[in-house]
């Protein structure tokens, strides 16, 4: 089927009519269209049980990719997972599944990440581990830049610290760049110096301040604030739980528009929590315009990732620029010419 659409084109499209696929033409339902959505911080092989997150298998990952697609996500950046599976997804995009650009394994030393999610990488092994991952097909590498110490009963409260020293991180970033990959760093501490070391994207970035955002923006770096995850307790009935979340929300309402105005590529990423529609809505609730929030999961993200698939269309009955909540209800989704919804 050749899917056609001739309503209102929003972010990512130019022109008055699009066609995706081949064969007999059929007009898609809906009145507004985007050229697909991008989830820039996704973990298709990470599942969660009562003990926390763990690495799942390829069957689980494939089912997750189908879920992303049904929600209008046509491109994902995998930011860590079961490397053999995610690098396979990146090599060959299945019909109706999003295009995947993948980071391969999580890079963290012993006792500094979820134990079921990684094989530890000590500082003197980091550069070699990065070269191996890129040689296996990783376009990104994912470094856990800081994390709580992992004790016998799980994360130790108030123990968040840098996982690798600055010299090790500098060598790691240089090794990734020399091998042709980019670097995403999980970072939640202030003044991490990651920006100065050349990290390409800061993940979460709970403590990013104005000076770091200026440096990141000056060289076109990205920030994926993963608001669904960072603000997961925003509706808690317990005021003690809500208080730090409310403080973070105030900071974000200042820092997100500041970042966007200084050239930081703010990206939408759901981590393992929520949906892309929720993430875009939260970005728009914390200082970005609806247009900026949609571009964070659209044209801006595709440009930053350098991934531009042909034949992606997601349509809606109502205008997501008026209300991003509309994004939760696509009228139709076409992924590289294949209609999946
Ligand atoms: Zn993550």
């Amino acid at each position: 089927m050749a899917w056609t659409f001739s309503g209102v084109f929003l972010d990512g499209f130019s022109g008055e009519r699009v066609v995706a696929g081949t064969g007999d033409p059929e007009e898609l339902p809906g009145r507004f269209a985007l050229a697909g959505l991008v989830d820039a911080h996704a973990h298709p092989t990470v599942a969660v049980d009562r003990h926390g997150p763990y690495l799942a298998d390829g069957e689980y990952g494939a089912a997750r990719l189908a879920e992303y697609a049904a929600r209008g996500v046509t491109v994902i950046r995998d930011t860590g997972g079961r490397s053999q599976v995610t690098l396979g997804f990146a090599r060959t995009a299945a019909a109706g599944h999003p295009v995947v650009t993948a980071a391969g394994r999580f890079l963290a030393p012993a006792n500094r990440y979820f134990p079921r999610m990684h094989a530890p990488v000590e500082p003197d092994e980091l550069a070699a581990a990065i070269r191996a991952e890129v040689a296996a097909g990783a376009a990104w590498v994912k470094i856990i830049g800081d994390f709580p110490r992992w004790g016998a009963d799980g994360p130790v409260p108030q123990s968040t610290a840098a996982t690798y020293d600055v010299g090790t991180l500098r060598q790691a970033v240089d090794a990734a760049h020399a091998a042709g990959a980019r670097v995403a760093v999980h970072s939640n501490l202030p003044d991490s110096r990651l920006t100065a070391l050349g990290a390409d994207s800061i993940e979460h970035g709970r403590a990013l301040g104005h000076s770091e955002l200026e440096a990141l923006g000056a060289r076109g770096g990205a920030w994926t604030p993963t608001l669904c995850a960072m603000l997961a307790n925003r509706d808690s009935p317990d005021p003690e739980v809500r208080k730090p979340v409310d403080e973070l929300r105030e900071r974000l309402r200042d820092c997100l528009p500041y970042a966007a105005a200084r050239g930081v590529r703010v990206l939408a990423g759901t981590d393992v929590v929520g949906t892309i529609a929720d993430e875009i809505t939260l970005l728009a609730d914390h200082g970005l315009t609806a247009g900026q929030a949609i571009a964070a999961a659209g044209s801006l993200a595709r440009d930053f990732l350098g991934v531009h698939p042909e034949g992606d269309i997601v349509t809606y009955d109502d205008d997501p620029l008026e209300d991003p909540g509309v994004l939760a209800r696509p009228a139709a989704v076409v992924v590289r010419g294949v209609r999946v919804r």
Side-chain angles (χ1 to χ4, degrees):
M1 199 68 75
W3 303 105
T4 66
F5 183 78
S6 50
V8 179
F9 291 103
L10 303 174
D11 176 81
F13 275 125
S14 54
E16 292 170 347
R17 186 165 179 274
V18 290
V19 180
T22 53
D24 294 336
E26 185 170 324
E27 182 78 1
L28 292 168
R31 294 194 301 135
F32 299 86
L34 299 173
L37 293 169
V38 180
D39 193 329
H41 185 122
H43 298 290
T45 58
V46 173
V48 181
D49 65 13
R50 64 195 176 86
H51 303 294
Y54 66 97
L55 295 182
D57 60 13
E59 194 178 336
Y60 175 90
R64 290 286 290 132
L65 291 185
E67 281 175 37
Y68 287 111
R71 290 173 172 157
V73 174
T74 60
V75 174
I76 71 167
R77 178 179 59 161
D78 161 76
T79 46
R82 189 178 290 284
S83 189
Q84 307 93 307
V85 173
T86 56
L87 297 181
F89 290 155
R91 269 192 297 277
T92 335
H97 281 184
V99 169
V100 176
T101 183
R105 68 191 286 198
F106 290 100
L107 299 164
N111 305 317
R112 282 290 176 184
Y113 199 50
F114 300 101
R116 293 191 296 167
M117 297 264 275
H118 77 126
V121 178
E122 296 312 315
D124 62 345
E125 303 166 336
L126 184 59
I130 285 171
R131 281 189 284 270
E133 214 59 13
V134 179
W140 284 82
V141 295
K142 173 67 178 294
I143 300 174
I144 306 302
D146 53 48
F147 209 76
R149 191 157 48 77
W150 203 271
D153 303 319
V156 177
Q158 314 296 335
S159 67
T160 300
T163 51
Y164 295 110
D165 63 81
V166 171
T168 299
L169 283 175
R170 178 176 289 116
Q171 283 180 0
V173 171
D174 289 349
H177 288 166
R182 287 195 279 172
V183 180
V185 187
H186 169 121
S187 173
N188 280 316
L189 290 177
D191 304 319
S192 65
R193 291 184 278 181
L194 290 164
T195 302
L197 294 175
D200 299 280
S201 88
I202 304 296
E203 307 304 303
H204 317 302
R206 166 187 300 271
L208 279 173
H210 285 193
S211 61
E212 280 178 289
L213 291 169
E214 283 161 23
L216 194 59
R219 54 182 187 73
W223 174 24
T224 322
T226 62
L227 300 182
C228 286
M230 285 216 297
L231 306 177
N233 293 325
R234 63 192 179 278
D235 297 323
S236 168
D238 182 346
E240 284 305 304
V241 172
R242 235 178 23 244
K243 185 161 173 278
V245 183
D246 287 342
E247 286 167 6
L248 177 58
R249 297 182 82 170
E250 277 312 299
R251 277 180 42 74
L252 289 164
R253 286 192 176 99
D254 167 65
C255 283
L256 281 166
Y258 189 90
R262 276 153 189 82
V264 175
R265 273 54 166 186
V266 177
L267 305 177
T270 60
D271 208 349
V272 289
V273 185
T275 65
I276 196 69
D278 291 340
E279 187 68 22
I280 295 166
T281 302
L282 284 170
L283 287 167
D285 283 348
H286 291 81
L288 297 194
T289 66
Q292 285 174 322
I294 290 170
S299 56
L300 181 143
R302 282 187 293 272
D303 288 347
F304 178 73
L305 296 174
V307 180
H308 294 92
E310 296 271 319
D312 294 345
I313 314 172
V314 186
T315 70
Y316 304 92
D317 291 324
D318 298 300
D319 186 351
L321 288 172
E322 295 283 318
D323 170 16
V326 165
L327 297 166
R329 299 179 297 278
V333 177
V334 176
V335 183
R336 297 190 314 288
V338 177
R339 186 168 177 190
V340 300
R341 178 171 178 149

